[in-house]
């Protein structure tokens, strides 16, 4: 029953976010601030992880191609499919759930503990719209970060494959072009947009409705990360079944 109550509270929170909007003059600066902190501030870790994961996928694929009959361009094909279909949209989203989600929960939770949210309500401000809506809009730019992740991941695979001596550059590019399905890109971005909404709202829910002091802020951040990751994994299965099944 507690889970059902939480789902209901979450749904009510999402509805309240879009009620009584804050003035655009104020909201614009809030959105730009969130884009800088949530998206731009995360590009470094996204690029770093994407490059080395793409490289590892290429190396592992190359090391498992022991049969000389299997063409070497399969390394490029496997790298492309792994990065575009799963690694970039899903694995990076789970990492973002830890980095961005913890930041969102702790920042809103701290405002709850220090009674800043109560002060906003006293002034007649819709605190949910003021705090959560800019994060939702900022996370709409998340697919751009995932596009960079795809590019860097494939580039990392090319670097590892070619300079590791596993295949030639021409073979890798040939593998990238083999049986390419443009809808796979659309599928990845559809998943990314849905995941971005989850990353923005579930941590906000745990931060906004938390009770207690500084210790509870840390617990709320951990709980938010766990539930955000669980929801992302479940939605990943459902969306894959719906879009590719």
């Amino acid at each position: 029953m507690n889970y059902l109550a939480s789902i209901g509270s979450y749904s009510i929170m999402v509805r309240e976010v879009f009620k009584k909007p804050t003035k655009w003059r104020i909201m614009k600066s809030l959105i730009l601030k969130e884009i800088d902190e949530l998206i731009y501030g995360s590009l470094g870790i996204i690029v770093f992880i994407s490059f080395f994961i793409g490289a590892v996928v290429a190396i592992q694929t190359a090391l498992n191609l022991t049969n000389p009959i299997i063409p070497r361009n399969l390394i490029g094909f496997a790298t492309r499919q792994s990065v575009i279909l799963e690694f970039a949209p899903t694995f990076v989203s789970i990492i973002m759930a830890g980095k961005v989600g913890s930041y969102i929960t702790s920042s809103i939770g701290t405002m709850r503990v220090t009674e800043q949210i109560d002060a906003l309500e006293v002034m007649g401000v819709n605190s949910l719209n003021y705090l959560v809506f800019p994060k939702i809009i900022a996370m709409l730019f998340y697919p751009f970060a995932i596009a960079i992740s795809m590019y860097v991941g494939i580039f990392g695979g090319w670097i590892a494959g070619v300079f590791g001596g596993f295949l030639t550059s021409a073979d890798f590019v040939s593998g990238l072009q083999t049986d390419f399905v443009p809808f796979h890109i659309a599928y990845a971005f559809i998943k990314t947009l849905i995941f971005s909404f989850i990353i923005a709202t579930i941590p906000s829910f745990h931060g906004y409705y938390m009770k207690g002091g500084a210790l509870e802020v840390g617990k709320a951040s951990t709980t938010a990360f766990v539930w955000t990751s669980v929801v992302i994994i479940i939605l990943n299965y459902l969306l894959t079944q719906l879009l590719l099944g």
Side-chain angles (χ1 to χ4, degrees):
M1 293 300 295
N2 288 335
Y3 293 143
L4 292 177
S6 296
I7 293 172
S9 299
Y10 171 77
S11 302
I12 293 172
M13 185 204 76
V14 171
R15 185 188 66 184
E16 293 296 324
V17 165
F18 298 96
K19 285 186 175 181
K20 195 181 177 184
T22 306
K23 292 181 180 179
W24 173 247
R25 178 174 54 84
I26 300 173
M27 183 60 69
K28 180 175 65 174
S29 61
L30 293 174
I31 291 173
L32 292 175
K33 177 176 176 289
E34 297 294 351
I35 291 174
D36 179 61
E37 292 181 349
L38 302 183
I39 304 300
Y40 183 75
S42 302
L43 286 180
I45 188 67
I46 289 175
V47 168
F48 178 80
I49 293 175
S50 299
F51 180 87
F52 285 101
I53 290 295
V56 168
V57 170
I59 292 173
Q60 288 184 347
T61 304
L63 294 177
N64 282 280
L65 293 181
T66 56
N67 193 326
I69 299 176
I70 300 176
R72 306 304 292 177
N73 63 8
L74 185 62
I75 298 171
F77 175 81
T79 303
R80 184 198 74 202
Q81 293 296 94
S82 300
V83 169
I84 290 178
L85 291 178
E86 277 308 310
F87 165 71
T90 306
F91 189 65
V92 170
S93 293
I94 293 176
I95 294 170
M96 289 286 281
K99 182 186 182 300
V100 172
S102 297
Y103 164 76
I104 292 174
T105 304
S106 59
S107 61
I108 296 179
T110 301
M111 292 184 70
R112 171 65 73 186
V113 170
T114 56
E115 299 181 349
Q116 295 179 55
I117 294 178
D118 297 329
L120 289 172
E121 295 288 348
V122 169
M123 291 187 294
V125 176
N126 181 356
S127 57
L128 279 171
N129 180 266
Y130 184 87
L131 295 173
V132 182
F133 185 76
K135 294 174 174 56
I136 294 175
I137 299 302
M139 288 302 292
L140 292 179
F141 291 87
Y142 182 47
F144 291 101
I146 294 303
I148 293 173
S149 173
M150 292 177 183
Y151 174 82
V152 173
I154 292 173
F155 178 71
W158 177 79
I159 290 289
V162 174
F163 289 90
F166 298 107
L167 78 170
T168 64
S169 179
D171 284 339
F172 190 89
V173 173
S174 174
L176 291 181
Q177 298 172 339
T178 301
D179 294 333
F180 176 68
V181 180
F183 179 72
H184 287 170
I185 302 292
Y187 157 78
F189 285 143
I190 290 171
K191 287 203 304 183
T192 299
L193 277 175
I194 295 174
F195 293 163
S196 68
F197 183 81
I198 297 300
I199 293 171
T201 54
I202 291 183
S204 297
F205 169 78
H206 285 279
Y208 189 85
Y209 291 107
M210 63 147 292
K211 297 178 182 179
L215 181 61
E216 281 70 25
V217 173
K219 291 180 179 179
S221 297
T222 303
T223 304
F225 168 67
V226 170
W227 280 109
T228 304
S229 301
V230 168
V231 172
I232 286 174
I233 291 170
I234 293 173
L235 286 177
N236 182 51
Y237 167 76
L238 294 176
L239 289 170
T240 301
Q241 186 65 37
L242 288 172
L243 297 175
L244 298 181

